[in-house]
Amino acid sequence: MRVALGLACLIWVPVIAEAQERPTRDAAGYLADVTGVWRSPDYGLLAEIRRDGLSLYHEAGGLCLPDARDAEAQAEGFAVWSPVEGPVAEAVFAEVPGGTPYLFEGASGVPAACHQKLTPAQRFDFAVATLRQHYAGFAARHIDPEALLAEVRQAYPVIDTDDALWGALSRIFIRLNDPHSELHGVIGGVEIELAAGEAPTLTAVGDAAAQKTWLAAYRDGILSGLLRGQGHHVGNNRLFWGVRDGVGYLNIVTMGAFDAKADPSDTQALEAILDEALTAFQGTRAVVVDVSNNRGGYDSVSRTIAARFYDQPRLAYQKRPWREGQTTTSTSVVIQPSSRVRYTGPVYVVTSDITVSAGEIFALAMRALPQVRLVGSTTRGALSDQIEKPLGEGWRFSLSGELYTNPQGEVPEGRGIVPDTPWSVFEGRGHAANLAAFIDGLKP
């Protein structure tokens, strides 16, 4: 989900700040310098790179499972690399030049365990070991993992069927209540899934049909009410913008998919829309950027938008993988000002409990600016990349395996980003009326 950097600069602290990235492949396949077996303890990954291809494995608790995705998907994070100077063989791999770096160390080979079929009990043990080693949200969500595991073991003392495996694991994932931690299984040939962590605001709205009606009212309220019929609904219906009484208004409902014919992470259409909107915002007394209904997407898109409000390079946030109760390597994200149309006057970023994932990354990046204030309600608290893991037999799960921090070192994972000025976004008169009242209160 989180791929190319866009306008951000990543610096891996401390080992490769000056490293020179190199391609891993030529026309004939992987280059000799990267062939071999590489292990990432931070993510529980093992990569076997051969001249003719790459095989990815996942390790936890002495167990191992091959990655179930196709060859192209497995190779995504290994397009470029940088060697790391030191007493042992280490390398940093990334999906694209300047992309999120993943540190790997040389390994002697692929363990035999990676080629053995696991029983339902072993698959349960693999999932539990992975969560113990890499899940970053236990403390933030006030969960004692050992107490939770003891409870599950008592309910399922024997896990020897897929039904028991689903029952045991679903108890864990329901307790996590984390939008980035999902469980997908297959029982009797039927695919089932568990995705928790819904926003209370959306839970209160009701089922899918009720939410569809709610979204239509949300859209009409912005266009007819807030922007008085003078607004723009563009970017594959992902963006609203307009000007109300000398204040610019920009609403972003996803961080990506702005062009139905392009890759979801593509920003060409987005950049053109931002050029038009920010040109119209020049001379306004303030701009309101509304991500109160933002459902996430790509961090690179969040940074691309945030860069339109940056006046100079600034540290936006840091990102660390979580391993066995501690953070190890760290990535600092510095956003550079966009070379296109920018707005550097007063900005208010509107958030809510719906704001999640890359929407929260945007809020984090914007909060680093002195002219920005966050208003609304606390965000969902699910910032980590969604780390996907196989579970064998067509099963898989995901978890939040990273911690994001603001420049002051504060961790919003599991807690959410608290606005500078709290106020209700959706309650009372509703979203459009509440936003109109807020904008009208921004007197010259």
Side-chain angles (χ1 to χ4, degrees):
M1 181 172 66
R2 288 168 183 162
V3 285
L5 284 178
L7 300 174
C9 170
L10 290 190
I11 305 171
W12 189 284
V13 180
V15 291
I16 62 162
E18 303 300 327
Q20 182 64 46
E21 291 177 322
R22 311 171 186 178
T24 57
R25 287 175 282 187
D26 60 18
Y30 285 96
L31 299 171
D33 286 343
V34 299
T35 57
V37 180
W38 299 90
R39 174 177 281 114
S40 173
D42 285 339
Y43 291 90
L45 293 175
L46 190 73
E48 181 187 24
I49 304 179
R50 306 172 303 277
R51 178 65 166 163
D52 64 347
L54 179 150
S55 297
L56 194 62
Y57 302 88
H58 299 257
E59 299 178 301
L63 299 168
C64 181
L65 282 167
D67 196 286
R69 298 172 299 168
D70 61 35
E72 183 178 352
Q74 292 185 45
E76 281 179 354
F78 299 87
V80 296
W81 76 291
S82 305
V84 178
E85 298 296 333
V88 297
E90 290 184 308
V92 173
F93 293 92
E95 183 173 359
V96 294
T100 300
Y102 297 96
L103 182 63
F104 282 74
E105 59 189 36
S108 58
V110 177
C114 296
H115 302 292
Q116 297 172 355
K117 184 176 180 179
L118 302 186
T119 66
Q122 290 174 317
R123 288 156 63 197
F124 176 81
D125 290 342
F126 175 84
V128 168
T130 299
L131 290 167
R132 276 176 166 156
Q133 293 176 24
H134 302 294
Y135 183 65
F138 283 124
R141 291 176 168 81
H142 308 291
I143 298 172
D144 179 343
E146 298 312 315
L148 174 58
L149 179 59
E151 175 188 313
V152 173
R153 288 287 192 188
Q154 184 176 11
Y156 292 89
V158 177
I159 301 174
D160 57 359
T161 65
D162 283 347
D163 285 320
L165 177 61
W166 180 264
L169 288 178
S170 63
R171 282 200 175 207
I172 295 174
F173 281 84
I174 288 172
R175 184 71 62 83
L176 297 182
N177 196 33
D178 179 351
H180 282 161
S181 297
E182 302 177 358
L183 178 63
H184 300 260
V186 182
I187 296 180
V190 178
E191 295 185 5
I192 53 177
E193 65 177 42
L194 190 161
E198 182 65 283
T201 292
L202 295 178
T203 300
V205 169
D207 60 14
Q211 290 193 28
K212 184 176 180 180
T213 300
W214 183 86
L215 284 170
Y218 178 88
R219 176 198 62 213
D220 294 342
I222 292 172
L223 295 173
S224 301
L226 180 62
L227 298 178
R228 298 166 173 157
Q230 301 298 311
H232 305 263
H233 191 197
V234 292
N236 195 25
N237 297 324
R238 264 63 176 181
L239 283 168
F240 302 84
W241 72 269
V243 177
R244 178 187 174 97
D245 296 339
V247 175
Y249 177 79
L250 175 65
N251 184 306
I252 312 152
V253 297
T254 63
M255 293 301 178
F258 300 105
D259 183 348
K261 299 179 180 179
D263 184 89
S265 65
D266 185 83
T267 58
Q268 184 174 350
L270 169 66
E271 295 277 32
I273 293 166
L274 292 177
D275 283 346
E276 184 179 4
L278 268 65
T279 297
F281 295 167
Q282 301 304 306
T284 58
R285 63 179 185 272
V287 166
V288 172
V289 183
D290 189 352
V291 290
S292 64
N293 189 29
N294 190 283
R295 311 301 177 91
Y298 295 85
D299 287 4
S300 56
V301 171
S302 299
R303 293 188 291 262
T304 295
I305 300 171
R308 294 299 192 109
F309 301 92
Y310 271 59
D311 59 340
Q312 64 185 53
R314 296 178 186 272
L315 175 65
Y317 56 87
Q318 291 182 314
K319 168 181 175 178
R320 298 174 174 88
W322 185 256
R323 173 159 54 100
E324 296 179 357
Q326 63 182 336
T327 56
T328 53
T329 47
S330 176
T331 302
S332 294
V333 179
V334 176
I335 293 183
Q336 306 284 342
S338 173
S339 61
R340 303 175 74 140
V341 183
R342 292 182 294 120
Y343 182 92
T344 56
V347 177
Y348 299 87
V349 176
V350 184
T351 63
S352 81
D353 65 314
I354 298 176
T355 311
V356 69
S357 192
E360 296 180 275
I361 299 304
F362 176 77
L364 206 60
M366 292 295 285
R367 194 172 224 172
L369 299 173
Q371 78 275 20
V372 172
R373 289 188 64 81
L374 267 59
V375 301
S377 55
T378 302
T379 65
R380 193 92 62 91
L383 292 84
S384 169
D385 286 6
Q386 193 171 35
I387 311 301
E388 293 193 0
K389 293 287 180 177
L391 205 47
E393 308 300 321
W395 291 48
R396 59 187 171 87
F397 67 103
S398 64
L399 68 153
S400 299
E402 297 166 326
L403 289 180
Y404 284 71
T405 59
N406 65 15
Q408 292 73 44
E410 298 168 333
V411 179
E413 185 71 31
R415 301 178 177 90
I417 301 171
V418 181
D420 302 302
T421 304
W423 57 270
S424 177
V425 179
F426 297 106
E427 296 177 1
R429 293 175 295 175
H431 171 264
N434 289 339
L435 262 292
F438 176 79
I439 291 174
D440 293 346
L442 298 175
K443 302 301 182 183

